[in-house]
Amino acid sequence: MIRVGIIGYGYWGPNITRNLHALDSMCVAAVCDKSPAAQARVSKTYPGVMTCSDASEILKSPNIDAVAVITPVWTHYELAKAALENGKHVFVEKPFTSNAAQAEELIELAARKNLTIMVDHTFLFTGAVRKIRQLCDEGALGKLYYYDSLRVNLGLFQHDVSVLWDLAPHDLSIMDYLIGSDPEAIVATGEKHLNGVHDVAFMTLYFPDNVIAHINCSWLSPVKIRTTLIGGEKKMIVWNDLVADEKLRVYDKGVQINSGEGMWYPQVAYRSGDMYAPKLEQLEALQAELKYFGECITSGKTPFNDGVAGLRVVRMLEAAEHSIQKKGDLVIV
């Protein structure tokens, strides 16, 4: 049984606690939050779980094997570092750290102490992303052309990070998982309207082999939208994460350019075939991810959403931040 201490019981902490509590291989040993009200909620829901307001009680406890850091990003580095120094495996909410240098240090420390780092890229464990990855691996989409995401809503406004650092990590981790290569250059634009951080932002990433990706992030949309389009040479995908049924639709549509001797202009041939909605695994992604975390700790296996994967996302965010400060300058990654 892997005993886990949770630091942070705000927005996401209760979900981590609930899913860990449901696993046979792991147990919640303690929850830390500075808010007495949060501690009271923990005690009411999980009477046997210790609560505290000082993170060091979890970080230094000999009765805890792993620590889940579910706190604002600016606290991740210090808490994760202390956990690793005390011999504990670490599960860190996205994004991994505030900058690449911090991520690199944590990766090196974990490797030196033979400890596991997992970054909470929950979407990688959803039935939709698993199916998209399967279709990519099977070559069903053909050569990838583009990834286009609209991830907007009204709020939740953050005071310490921009909308890019809040929402874009979801898509960046998915792109990293599906495309399998680092972007060559990034362009980002955005504006601040309310609380001193960018609340509307647009990010374009240029990958090798002419693959392009675009992310539209906003806290100022009148409606919540979570729609992604993925275009390939053979097939195209529309993923609407907010619908209950048919989240994923695969379209047998495409374009082919025909050119031959004596032709003044290339001839464009369109292909329009069937659409189908593949059956997706019915699972709670976060529970699957936390179970995988426990399996990696037990077996010594390196998670595919490890610290190195988290570092790649942070580097993309840093490049986007640099571009957005320069009003959309191209940043070579």
Side-chain angles (χ1 to χ4, degrees):
M1 181 75 71
I2 298 169
R3 299 161 297 181
V4 183
I6 298 170
I7 302 177
Y9 199 78
Y11 173 72
W12 197 236
N15 295 320
I16 298 290
T17 307
R18 174 176 56 83
N19 281 282
L20 280 172
H21 190 72
L23 293 173
D24 294 333
S25 58
M26 307 178 84
C27 71
V28 179
V31 175
C32 172
D33 198 286
K34 291 182 178 180
S35 166
Q39 293 182 49
R41 289 196 301 272
V42 175
S43 297
K44 182 178 180 179
T45 310
Y46 310 100
V49 174
M50 184 197 89
T51 62
C52 61
S53 59
D54 184 354
S56 65
E57 292 188 42
I58 286 178
L59 296 169
K60 296 180 180 179
S61 171
N63 299 317
I64 288 175
D65 307 304
V67 173
V69 179
I70 319 298
T71 55
V73 63
W74 58 270
T75 66
H76 289 183
Y77 166 72
E78 292 293 346
L79 291 171
K81 182 179 179 181
L84 292 168
E85 287 176 337
N86 282 279
K88 305 187 189 312
H89 305 280
V90 175
F91 181 90
V92 187
E93 188 180 8
K94 61 81 187 167
F96 183 21
T97 55
S98 296
N99 57 63
Q102 292 176 345
E104 289 167 352
E105 183 179 342
L106 294 179
I107 291 166
E108 188 278 330
L109 178 59
R112 183 155 36 91
K113 289 184 165 284
N114 197 28
L115 294 167
T116 299
I117 292 178
M118 181 178 285
V119 182
D120 183 13
H121 293 158
T122 315
F123 272 98
L124 305 188
F125 294 83
T126 61
V129 173
R130 287 187 179 196
K131 176 57 70 173
I132 296 170
R133 175 61 185 261
Q134 179 188 334
L135 292 171
C136 289
D137 289 346
E138 291 173 353
L141 304 184
K143 178 185 179 298
L144 284 182
Y145 287 158
Y146 66 84
Y147 178 107
D148 189 12
S149 170
L150 181 60
R151 190 174 295 276
V152 300
N153 47 259
L154 191 62
L156 298 161
F157 283 87
Q158 309 292 324
H159 68 277
D160 55 338
V161 293
S162 72
V163 70
L164 270 181
W165 283 78
D166 179 41
L167 295 181
H170 295 306
D171 289 295
L172 296 177
S173 63
I174 294 167
M175 283 187 284
D176 180 68
Y177 184 59
L178 297 178
I179 297 173
S181 60
D182 295 330
E184 297 173 331
I186 290 174
V187 171
T189 57
E191 274 301 344
K192 307 171 184 177
H193 298 96
L194 295 175
N195 63 344
V197 297
H198 291 95
D199 42 40
V200 176
F202 308 89
M203 185 176 178
T204 302
L205 302 94
Y206 299 91
F207 288 88
D209 204 21
N210 297 331
V211 179
I212 190 169
H214 180 259
I215 305 171
N216 176 349
C217 295
S218 176
W219 291 326
L220 289 176
S221 168
V223 293
K224 183 175 182 178
I225 302 173
R226 296 289 186 270
T227 302
T228 302
L229 288 81
I230 301 173
E233 180 184 18
K234 296 179 181 177
K235 289 184 174 64
M236 299 181 180
I237 291 175
V238 177
W239 170 25
N240 184 347
D241 197 50
L242 297 185
V243 298
D245 299 318
E246 297 188 356
K247 285 182 182 289
L248 219 61
R249 292 188 174 191
V250 181
Y251 291 82
D252 184 11
K253 291 188 175 183
V255 179
Q256 182 176 325
I257 304 297
N258 297 322
S259 59
E261 188 176 349
M263 291 184 179
W264 286 99
Y265 300 102
Q267 292 183 336
V268 179
Y270 296 94
R271 187 188 70 259
S272 184
D274 293 335
M275 181 281 293
Y276 73 96
K279 184 178 180 180
L280 305 180
E281 293 179 83
Q282 298 300 313
L283 74 168
E284 181 152 4
L286 184 55
Q287 189 170 127
E289 182 181 30
L290 291 167
K291 181 180 179 182
Y292 178 60
F293 179 49
E295 291 169 353
C296 289
I297 290 173
T298 302
S299 67
K301 176 182 176 181
T302 301
F304 58 79
N305 55 328
D306 63 351
V308 177
L311 170 61
R312 290 195 294 268
V313 170
V314 170
R315 282 177 173 158
M316 287 186 261
L317 289 169
E318 281 191 317
E321 194 70 32
H322 182 65
S323 177
I324 212 170
Q325 297 299 337
K326 300 292 185 179
K327 297 293 184 182
D329 280 2
L330 183 75
V331 175
I332 304 301
V333 180

